Amino acid sequence: MARDYVEQIRTVQPDGPYHLLGWSFGGLLAQHMVVLLQRQSHKVGDRGHSGQPPAAQPLRQHG
């Protein structure tokens, strides 16, 4: 899901910085998207979580 969202965002805005905000599960999803974008050497600006503490460990990428 995070990979698909990153692709969709990049079709609208090919270059960063990207500003992401997520609430509850969306906070974890936004954090995963930040990791994916940074691994692709894209700049990430503001990021926020609302209603969900940040993940204690980086999310692992499957597949």
Side-chain angles (χ1 to χ4, degrees):
M1 182 182 291
R3 216 176 283 141
D4 182 53
Y5 284 178
V6 166
E7 289 177 19
Q8 295 297 320
I9 288 170
R10 295 203 55 238
T11 61
V12 175
Q13 181 180 332
D15 299 309
Y18 298 98
H19 306 282
L20 303 172
L21 173 67
W23 176 76
S24 192
F25 171 74
L28 291 176
L29 185 60
Q31 178 60 33
H32 191 110
M33 292 168 63
V34 166
V35 171
L36 293 174
L37 287 164
Q38 289 176 335
R39 285 183 183 166
Q40 296 172 11
S41 300
H42 294 289
K43 292 182 182 180
V44 177
D46 297 324
R47 61 194 97 161
H49 300 269
S50 179
Q52 177 73 34
Q57 297 179 1
L59 298 173
R60 291 183 293 163
Q61 186 172 355
H62 296 284

